[in-house]
Amino acid sequence: MNNRVRALFARVFRNTGYLLTGKGATAALALGSTALAVRALGLEEYGILLLINSFTSSCSVGTRFQSWQPLLQYGNALFKRADKTAFQTLMRHCAVLDGMGALIALTVALLCSLWLGHAFGWPESYGRMPLWYLTVVLFMNTGSALGVMRLTNRYELSVLADALSGIVRFLGCIAGFVLHWTLQDFLALWYASFVAAFTLDGVIALWVLGHTDALKGFSLWGVPWLSPIKGLWRFTFSVSVDQALSRLSTRLTVLVVGIVLGPQSAAIYNVTWQISDGMARPAQMMTPALYPELVALRDKRDWASIRQVTNRILQALGAFSVVVILAAAFVGPWLLHVLLTVPWSGTRTLLLLMTTTAILDLWDVPLEPILVSLNRAHQLLLGRVATMCFSLPFLYWLASIWGMTGAGLATLLSELGIFLSRLGPYLVMSRHKNFQNAQEDPAPSSSISESEE
């Protein structure tokens, strides 16, 4: 590796370490919260809590603009040359996107709540679907705040809000277990955890902006509401819809399993996925740390380093995947038994299917950020849409026939389709020495038109 690539890997692994430490602590707290909540509420009521939260989260992620990605994609060059006016306009643009997404999410949640309350098992004995909980979607969008922390290389601060949310839930679950809280009480606890994380992210982002030399005098006031950067809207739409469909698909699969097999099966399926995804999480944490570095290499037209970084990461992921499979086979069933008090028998097959799915998702670690940084986000979106057109009906069909094993198999085949939709465009581009025609806009980070697109 040349010196530039060595320095890049040092930053990526350092920032990944920050993210991994925070996410690891959050995951441990989440597992502890799950175990306590299941014992306090029972598996069925916990499944209802999970489905209600999955519904509200689905409304949020399905309407959320991924504001941190345009902030990095187009703001990196502006930040490096301390172009305060243009950067402030872009930052305000991204903050507006967060607010718009939250309001759209609340509207969708209110319109869909009454029908879905019956569909995924909200019992009549509890009265009306808890409409007050739906307002939690107003506190789920923090993309622009995270973008500020990642752009300024303050990854150690970007995990604090998630950690705080996990601590609030865990301490609350201890209290709920001891005091015999009801389902409504646990809903209030989940709500408080989202509000705490939202508030902390906003405070940290404002602090970072006020203590960054290149942004001294930064203000969101006195600048246009929307940025005139060329290509910004198309890029934002592509990455936002792709990520929305990705996260929405995960939550919708839980809802489909709940509708077909009941709340208990939905809880088992979701926790199995959490275990499988958690074992693969260390490598997945590399994606947000890698993306800004690829944007910087793209701005420098350093195609050789981009190719070298991608190949090295793919090699490392091969070895890591073997470790994950072995851990799932020997540790996963025991962990599932401890968390949900379900028998070991029948869980290993589902765990292996879900772990293989998580491994396929791992191989997106270098592919997705490199395609996004090279303005191929629309190709990722097309691949996602094509896959989802068959994956959810396929999930419903296989779950109806083979139960939990069918649900796991359908999830695996869906992820395989997503992976192939990323691998294909990368292989086509990599045939050219300098990634010829890789970007439709040769300088997206600094290309600004005279009027809005």
Side-chain angles (χ1 to χ4, degrees):
M1 292 187 291
N2 59 45
N3 292 334
R4 177 177 292 175
V5 174
R6 287 193 185 93
L8 182 151
F9 270 110
R11 290 191 300 272
V12 167
F13 283 113
R14 183 186 67 245
N15 291 331
T16 301
Y18 292 137
L19 296 175
L20 183 58
T21 300
K23 292 294 184 181
T26 303
L29 290 168
L31 293 176
S33 299
T34 297
L36 289 166
V38 167
R39 285 158 177 79
L41 294 172
L43 186 57
E44 176 143 357
E45 283 201 350
Y46 173 73
I48 295 171
L49 170 67
L50 172 67
L51 291 173
I52 292 172
N53 192 63
S54 294
F55 166 65
T56 53
S57 297
S58 297
C59 292
S60 178
V61 301
T63 57
R64 179 180 302 167
F65 296 99
Q66 295 296 315
S67 56
W68 71 272
Q69 287 193 276
L71 187 61
L72 267 65
Q73 181 83 351
Y74 298 97
N76 180 68
L78 301 175
F79 175 72
K80 292 292 177 61
R81 65 173 182 257
D83 190 342
K84 295 181 182 179
T85 300
F87 183 83
Q88 288 175 196
T89 302
L90 178 61
M91 180 65 198
R92 184 167 177 173
H93 182 111
C94 293
V96 168
L97 292 178
D98 283 341
M100 288 172 54
L103 293 175
I104 295 171
L106 180 59
T107 303
V108 171
L110 290 172
L111 292 175
C112 298
S113 60
L114 295 178
W115 174 72
L116 283 177
H118 297 289
F120 61 65
W122 178 253
E124 293 288 346
S125 59
Y126 286 96
R128 177 169 291 187
M129 170 79 177
L131 299 180
W132 61 268
Y133 186 76
L134 302 183
T135 58
V136 75
V137 298
L138 298 175
F139 303 97
M140 290 183 173
N141 290 0
T142 59
S144 55
L146 291 175
V148 168
M149 289 178 254
R150 291 170 181 175
L151 185 65
T152 55
N153 202 34
R154 299 304 302 268
Y155 282 78
E156 73 279 11
L157 300 177
S158 66
V159 299
L160 295 180
D162 282 343
L164 177 62
S165 177
I167 291 171
V168 169
R169 286 192 189 184
F170 182 69
L171 294 178
C173 284
I174 293 176
F177 178 75
V178 173
L179 300 176
H180 307 290
W181 281 1
T182 65
L183 178 57
Q184 298 279 3
D185 297 324
F186 276 92
L187 283 173
L189 172 63
W190 257 241
Y191 194 113
S193 69
F194 282 113
V195 173
F198 177 87
T199 303
L200 184 58
D201 267 335
V203 170
I204 291 175
L206 291 174
W207 183 87
V208 169
L209 288 172
H211 291 77
T212 301
D213 291 338
L215 298 175
K216 288 294 184 182
F218 176 89
S219 174
L220 288 176
W221 311 113
V223 294
W225 281 99
L226 299 177
S227 173
I229 295 177
K230 182 180 179 181
L232 176 60
W233 281 107
R234 180 188 180 188
F235 175 84
T236 302
F237 175 81
S238 296
V239 296
S240 297
V241 175
D242 178 62
Q243 289 299 312
L245 292 178
S246 174
R247 298 181 181 183
L248 186 61
S249 175
T250 302
R251 287 159 177 81
L252 286 178
T253 54
V254 176
L255 294 176
V256 170
V257 171
I259 291 171
V260 176
L261 302 176
Q264 292 189 32
S265 295
I268 294 172
Y269 175 90
N270 185 72
V271 174
T272 303
W273 171 248
Q274 286 181 337
I275 293 171
S276 303
D277 188 58
M279 288 185 287
R281 182 64 61 180
Q284 292 172 343
M285 286 296 96
M286 193 179 296
T287 298
L290 181 62
Y291 178 65
E293 302 294 345
L294 290 175
V295 170
L297 291 176
R298 178 210 63 195
D299 290 344
K300 297 174 182 176
R301 300 295 192 271
D302 191 349
W303 312 118
S305 293
I306 289 178
R307 184 178 284 105
Q308 190 175 13
V309 167
T310 304
N311 293 338
R312 291 288 181 132
I313 292 177
L314 288 174
Q315 291 169 12
L317 288 176
F320 185 77
S321 299
V322 176
V323 176
V324 172
I325 284 286
L326 293 175
F330 293 102
V331 180
W334 169 82
L335 189 55
L336 190 62
H337 172 71
V338 170
L339 289 173
L340 296 181
T341 65
V342 297
W344 287 35
S345 59
T347 59
R348 182 172 277 109
T349 300
L350 178 63
L351 270 168
L352 290 177
L353 287 171
M354 301 297 275
T355 302
T356 306
T357 301
I359 287 174
L360 283 176
D361 190 42
L362 274 184
W363 290 80
D364 274 352
V365 167
L367 298 180
E368 182 170 333
I370 191 175
L371 291 171
V372 171
S373 67
L374 294 175
N375 269 9
R376 293 291 180 175
H378 59 287
Q379 292 185 345
L380 303 184
L381 174 59
L382 291 176
R384 179 81 62 187
V385 171
T387 302
M388 285 190 67
C389 284
F390 77 83
S391 63
L392 290 176
F394 199 50
L395 171 67
Y396 187 95
W397 179 61
L398 285 183
S400 301
I401 297 175
W402 292 330
M404 299 294 288
T405 301
L409 180 60
T411 306
L412 172 60
L413 293 176
S414 174
E415 187 60 42
L416 177 61
I418 295 295
F419 171 68
L420 293 177
S421 72
R422 276 119 172 95
L423 181 63
Y426 172 74
L427 292 177
V428 171
M429 289 194 308
S430 64
R431 292 171 56 190
H432 302 286
K433 182 177 180 181
N434 294 322
F435 285 91
Q436 181 181 350
N437 298 324
Q439 301 179 82
E440 295 177 0
D441 179 4
S445 295
S446 57
S447 178
I448 302 180
S449 62
E450 292 299 323
S451 60
E452 287 184 29
E453 188 180 17

